[in-house]
Amino acid sequence: MGIVIDCVAIGEELMKEILEETEALKAKGIVPGIATLLVGDDFGAKMYRGQVEKFCQEAGWNYFNENPPADITEAEVIEIVKKLNANPEVSGILPLRPFPEHISDSAVINSIDVNKDIDCFHPFNMGKLALGEPTFPPATPSAVIEILDRYARQYENVEPKDFYEGAEVVVVGHSNIVGKPVAFLMLNRNATTTVCHVFTSMKGNLEKHTKGADVLVVAAGKPDLIGPDQVKEGAIVVDVGINRVKVLDENGNPVLNEKGKPMTKTVGDVSFDKVKDMVKAITPVPGGVGAVTNRMLMKNALRACKIQHGLE
Ligand code: NAP
């Protein structure tokens, strides 16, 4: 079996570093802080808001919860952002989408101070990422890189630079928040980078590309999209996908819980059990990229805090 990369341990190591940096800032009288902006009550966004509040508490940071009702006007939302921009206790602002339809994502995002844009939503920061000079590389793509950097040092005994340069990297998914920024981060490291998406699959070409990957990063949100036929023997696979699926018995029927409802479990986009023996390394789901993502967001918030206090 290939190496199952212990992303939970990576997340814990990062948290230790974050706590040390927090103490050093507190010794200077500075406390980092994150504000979330959730408009209305979308379920997924509410879950994420709770996570951000929890990790701010764990780190001893300030947390600010902006949660106006769904019928607020766009102009009023932008006024909230301006207030957060001006608040010196807010190091980073995190808009939690989806917003209600009458509120434009880009109008809100463009009003965020670029030095508080800790998940790289603002076009200015995305532009810097594309140019290879990111201030705040977005959290999930950064988690992919952090995991691979640590894997390269620990298991391949090479510096990340040598790991990426000329490597055949294939990214499945080209969303603005995961696939595209992962591809930029790979290109910035001189990997030979191929990006696949739904149209690649529709043309029947997915396997042709993924089979050639030394490093395969999958972020499509499709369970079992990648099986043994799509993976090269000895590849390194990072599975970003998070999907809830029904638990099935050996006959393919849903397993029911005590209330008679189908039981569910979390899986990635890669058929883990079917590929784990043919790869060199793989990240699991759950306990994979997600265990590192929040920590990368916190790292960005620390950086924002330092920039705002003239420490960087
Ligand atoms: P998204 O916006 O839905 O994008 C999915 C991407 O996958 C799109 O580019 C889509 O292509 C592509 N795709 C869909 N079906 C495909 C197929 N059959 N073959 C090839 N490409 C296909 O999703 P996202 O926000 O990027 O998230 C992707 C996954 O990562 C989701 O499961 C999400 O839950 C997970 N996620 C995990 C973390 C974490 O921390 N672990 C963080 C964020 C997201 P088109 O655009 O051409 O349709």
Side-chain angles (χ1 to χ4, degrees):
M1 172 150 132
I3 295 157
V4 180
I5 301 175
D6 189 347
C7 298
V8 173
I10 295 174
E12 282 165 2
E13 279 170 33
L14 285 164
M15 189 62 179
K16 244 189 253 164
E17 294 167 21
I18 289 162
L19 291 174
E20 280 166 19
E21 283 194 64
T22 301
E23 283 315 305
L25 284 171
K26 284 189 173 172
K28 293 184 166 68
I30 300 167
V31 182
I34 295 181
T36 54
L37 173 58
L38 164 62
V39 183
D41 64 352
D42 176 78
F43 179 76
K46 271 200 309 200
M47 296 281 290
Y48 192 22
R49 191 212 67 73
Q51 279 181 30
V52 177
E53 180 170 18
K54 188 161 162 266
F55 69 60
C56 283
Q57 271 166 3
E58 283 166 4
W61 292 7
N62 292 318
Y63 170 70
F64 303 85
N65 176 16
E66 293 289 348
N67 186 194
D71 61 1
I72 189 173
T73 66
E74 185 179 285
E76 286 168 327
V77 174
I78 289 170
E79 279 312 307
I80 293 174
V81 175
K82 285 185 183 161
K83 185 187 76 180
L84 296 172
N85 285 342
N87 183 347
E89 292 190 333
V90 174
S91 321
I93 302 169
L94 193 62
L96 300 176
R97 292 174 289 172
F99 292 146
E101 268 181 20
H102 66 282
I103 294 173
S104 138
D105 272 16
S106 56
V108 176
I109 283 166
N110 290 346
S111 65
I112 295 174
D113 178 340
V114 293
N115 284 324
K116 295 192 175 191
D117 174 36
I118 54 171
D119 211 5
C120 197
F121 290 124
H122 197 290
F124 176 82
N125 284 317
M126 271 299 266
K128 288 187 74 181
L129 174 70
L131 293 172
E133 308 158 0
T135 309
F136 305 117
T140 304
S142 299
V144 172
I145 296 291
E146 185 72 25
I147 290 164
L148 289 171
D149 284 0
R150 288 180 188 237
Y151 164 82
R153 289 202 178 96
Q154 189 178 348
Y155 293 103
E156 305 236 344
N157 213 12
V158 292
E159 280 306 301
K161 181 178 178 301
D162 299 319
F163 176 77
Y164 296 107
E165 278 178 357
E168 291 288 334
V169 174
V170 175
V171 182
V172 181
H174 67 167
S175 73
N176 287 338
I177 64 161
V178 190
K180 265 187 224 169
V182 168
F184 283 133
L185 292 171
M186 292 295 181
L187 284 171
N188 294 344
R189 285 161 178 75
N190 299 318
T192 306
T193 307
T194 305
V195 183
C196 302
H197 38 72
V198 79
F199 298 94
T200 318
S201 288
M202 281 162 59
K203 288 272 184 198
N205 288 333
L206 186 64
E207 185 177 326
K208 180 174 92 184
H209 295 291
T210 57
K211 266 276 194 201
D214 300 326
V215 177
L216 178 60
V217 181
V218 191
K222 295 277 175 292
D224 292 321
L225 179 66
I226 301 294
D229 292 344
Q230 284 76 35
V231 178
K232 180 165 90 175
E233 194 87 33
I236 298 156
V237 179
V238 180
D239 189 355
V240 184
I242 300 177
N243 308 289
R244 283 307 280 179
V245 296
K246 286 183 184 151
V247 178
L248 302 178
D249 65 18
E250 60 277 12
N251 300 318
N253 298 315
V255 177
L256 304 181
N257 63 18
E258 63 282 0
K259 289 181 183 155
K261 296 250 168 70
M263 286 173 71
T264 59
K265 61 177 179 178
T266 301
V267 298
D269 293 345
V270 179
S271 310
F272 183 88
D273 289 332
K274 294 183 185 154
V275 307
K276 66 181 192 307
D277 293 326
M278 62 184 291
V279 296
K280 201 181 326 177
I282 186 166
T283 61
V285 180
V289 177
V292 180
T293 293
N294 284 343
R295 302 301 172 227
M296 301 316 289
L297 188 73
M298 295 177 85
K299 285 249 170 193
N300 279 350
L302 278 173
R303 179 145 200 227
C305 182
K306 287 187 211 157
I307 290 171
Q308 287 150 36
H309 286 88
L311 299 171
E312 259 201 40

